[in-house]
Amino acid sequence: MVQIAVLGYGTVGSGVVEVINTNHTSISKKAGQEINIKYVLDLRDFPGDPIQEKIVHDFNVILNDPEIKIVVEVMGGVEPAYTYTKQALMAGKSVCTSNKELVARHGAELMEIARVRNLNYLFEASCGGGIPIIRPLNSSLTADEIDEITGILNGTTNYILTKMIQDGSDFETALRQAQEYGYAERNPEADVEGYDACRKIAILSSLAFGEHVDYEDIYTEGITKITKEDILYAKKLGKTIKLLAYSRKIGQSFYAMVAPFLLDDNDPLYSVNGVFNAIFVHGNVLGDAMFYGSGAGKLPTASAVVSDVIDEAKHLNRNIMSFWSSTKVQLTDISNSQRRFLVRVKGNPETDLKNVEEIFGTVKLIKIPELTGEFGFTTEVLSEAEYNAKAEKLGTVISRIRIRHVH
Ligand code: HSE
């Protein structure tokens, strides 16, 4: 029997308990021995809930119990999760987590501590909710040099954008629903400002490229500036809007970015709706692969966490190799990256299109009948720096959205 402890009885922690209870027999079979939850650490008590008999309030009870071989950290946030994780690894216990904030910040260090002690620090649930993506990157796509990852990596924002586009919901109502379903972070700013997707693409890129991609170096825009008017333009163009997180390796240069993009209906990410996530991976010998599934929520996330518990139970005194060195990747400034843009400007095409064309060259005009005093256009391919200079010169830009180009 393998005794485990769960740190945190919130959405994911209670999901982990539920998954282990529901699938107890098959999980134990797959792990090769019975998995038993001995402790659940939480500040709160849960009177009347059967979990209460396992609740402890002091982490030292877990740390000092030699029977505990696996610690499941599902508390979220950097502290005290970082200290507890380090202490558990130092005490000879493997750790698995859904904590993307902690993994993005200290993943390389914690994996190294685990490696030298023949333990494991696994984090399948940190990216893409229930979608297997960390394990495929570590064990299945190892024949490849991965040169692109593009993902819809945040369920909350994808849910909000889908509701706004398909049902005409407003931003606040859709966010509230995402919170009710347990998709959103405690502070949903992390979702809607793109920080959560940023941390996830940093984790995936670090594993894919084998060196540390610092999330603080990644240019990040969220979805808070996307309006109903933007959506009218997207629809008129036959496109949708998605918050994309991507990283690319071109030669020896690395690019990474998180921002809303307009996608064509022939884009493989176009139909990824609601809370679903998808991760598109390009390898130099594989070509394209895409991973798709439930991207957030209690049970999908818990499913990924428990898969790590099983893997750790199967490898109790053996480190599962993966590559994420602490050497930092130097990201190239995005100002040279090139793409087309949808631009909304104040004015009327009859009087103002000429000025637009003088600055932007050939553009495609888009007029939305219900919007007066403004019009839109799509540009030719421009670098970010060129776009910014032209937009500043024009001086009448209301908003702009990048248009994704499928390579
Ligand atoms: N808040 C996250 C999301 C949870 O919406 O994707 C899953 O990591």
Side-chain angles (χ1 to χ4, degrees):
M1 182 189 290
V2 182
Q3 298 284 13
I4 74 169
V6 179
L7 312 186
Y9 196 61
T11 306
V12 183
S14 58
V16 167
V17 173
E18 188 176 332
V19 168
I20 290 179
N21 286 341
T22 307
N23 291 340
H24 190 255
T25 310
S26 62
I27 286 171
S28 297
K29 249 189 221 157
K30 286 170 197 161
Q33 50 192 320
E34 194 187 341
I35 304 280
N36 184 56
I37 301 172
K38 187 167 179 185
Y39 305 114
V40 174
L41 179 79
D42 205 286
L43 291 171
R44 301 160 295 176
D45 282 308
F46 299 88
D49 185 324
I51 203 65
Q52 183 60 37
E53 66 188 48
K54 297 179 192 263
I55 291 284
V56 292
H57 301 301
D58 180 1
F59 177 63
N60 288 310
V61 175
I62 294 166
L63 195 60
N64 297 327
D65 184 337
E67 272 192 357
I68 297 293
K69 298 291 179 214
I70 297 169
V71 171
V72 180
E73 184 274 296
V74 282
M75 314 172 75
V78 172
E79 282 297 357
Y82 174 54
T83 304
Y84 290 175
T85 300
K86 226 169 159 172
Q87 287 177 336
L89 291 169
M90 298 290 198
K93 303 172 196 305
S94 283
V95 179
C96 57
T97 187
S98 57
N99 189 337
K100 48 262 161 129
E101 209 177 333
L102 180 60
V103 177
R105 195 176 289 228
H106 296 295
E109 180 199 358
L110 295 169
M111 285 168 81
E112 181 58 13
I113 296 174
R115 191 187 64 79
V116 297
R117 283 168 178 72
N118 287 324
L119 301 167
N120 288 291
Y121 181 59
L122 302 182
F123 40 88
E124 182 59 70
S126 66
C127 299
I131 307 172
I133 182 62
I134 304 290
R135 206 165 277 110
L137 282 178
N138 274 339
S139 354
S140 314
L141 301 176
T142 43
D144 271 75
E145 300 260 336
I146 291 169
D147 51 31
E148 179 184 349
I149 300 179
T150 301
I152 294 173
L153 292 176
N154 182 267
T156 301
T157 46
N158 204 45
Y159 180 84
I160 295 172
L161 288 172
T162 305
K163 282 278 169 193
M164 286 172 76
I165 292 166
Q166 292 187 347
D167 308 345
S169 298
D170 63 77
F171 183 96
E172 292 302 331
T173 309
L175 171 59
R176 245 192 331 274
Q177 285 171 344
Q179 286 176 302
E180 278 163 22
Y181 287 132
Y183 305 154
E185 297 302 300
R186 214 170 298 155
N187 177 1
E189 199 190 344
D191 297 298
V192 297
E193 295 296 356
Y195 309 146
D196 180 75
C198 169
R199 289 173 190 132
K200 290 168 175 167
I201 194 69
I203 295 169
L204 296 177
S205 312
S206 298
L207 288 172
F209 302 145
E211 293 183 346
H212 183 63
V213 175
D214 188 338
Y215 70 91
E216 289 183 301
D217 295 344
I218 299 176
Y219 176 88
T220 300
E221 261 179 48
I223 63 161
T224 47
K225 294 197 183 98
I226 301 291
T227 61
K228 286 188 171 170
E229 289 75 24
D230 293 328
I231 287 165
L232 291 177
Y233 281 95
K235 284 188 170 170
K236 176 92 182 200
L237 286 167
K239 295 179 194 286
T240 192
I241 304 174
K242 298 286 179 197
L243 182 70
L244 296 186
Y246 84 84
S247 64
R248 288 195 74 200
K249 184 180 179 197
I250 305 173
Q252 285 316 303
S253 303
F254 295 89
Y255 298 84
M257 184 178 193
V258 176
F261 277 78
L262 285 157
L263 270 59
D264 274 336
D265 60 2
N266 63 2
D267 190 305
L269 296 168
Y270 179 91
S271 306
V272 178
N273 287 321
V275 72
F276 283 91
N277 281 190
I279 303 116
F280 170 90
V281 179
H282 184 267
N284 67 337
V285 285
L286 161 82
D288 297 340
M290 197 156 106
F291 300 81
Y292 171 81
S294 306
K298 174 173 162 169
L299 291 179
T301 310
S303 160
V305 174
V306 175
S307 77
D308 282 345
V309 172
I310 295 170
D311 227 3
E312 291 186 344
K314 282 159 64 179
H315 298 90
L316 273 184
N317 299 303
R318 189 156 60 87
N319 180 254
I320 304 163
M321 251 172 86
S322 50
F323 301 95
W324 178 349
S325 88
S326 53
T327 312
K328 196 170 143 171
V329 170
Q330 208 53 51
L331 292 179
T332 304
D333 195 298
I334 63 153
S335 58
N336 289 329
S337 62
Q338 300 202 326
R339 54 184 55 85
R340 292 166 60 229
F341 296 83
L342 162 69
V343 189
R344 283 172 55 208
V345 289
K346 289 182 217 148
N348 291 302
E350 295 74 32
T351 50
D352 301 303
L353 184 60
K354 197 166 157 289
N355 195 23
V356 165
E357 285 180 328
E358 267 166 26
I359 295 171
F360 278 89
T362 314
V363 297
K364 185 177 159 216
L365 174 69
I366 308 142
K367 194 80 191 87
I368 308 285
E370 51 269 59
L371 298 180
T372 52
E374 70 163 84
F375 64 98
F377 61 91
T378 55
T379 69
E380 295 290 301
V381 173
L382 298 169
S383 73
E384 292 273 337
E386 284 166 335
Y387 168 77
N388 287 337
K390 288 176 192 294
E392 197 182 328
K393 192 163 177 202
L394 187 64
T396 52
V397 171
I398 301 168
S399 71
R400 60 98 182 83
I401 307 181
R402 297 171 176 89
I403 302 175
R404 171 161 142 92
H405 168 68
V406 181
H407 302 282

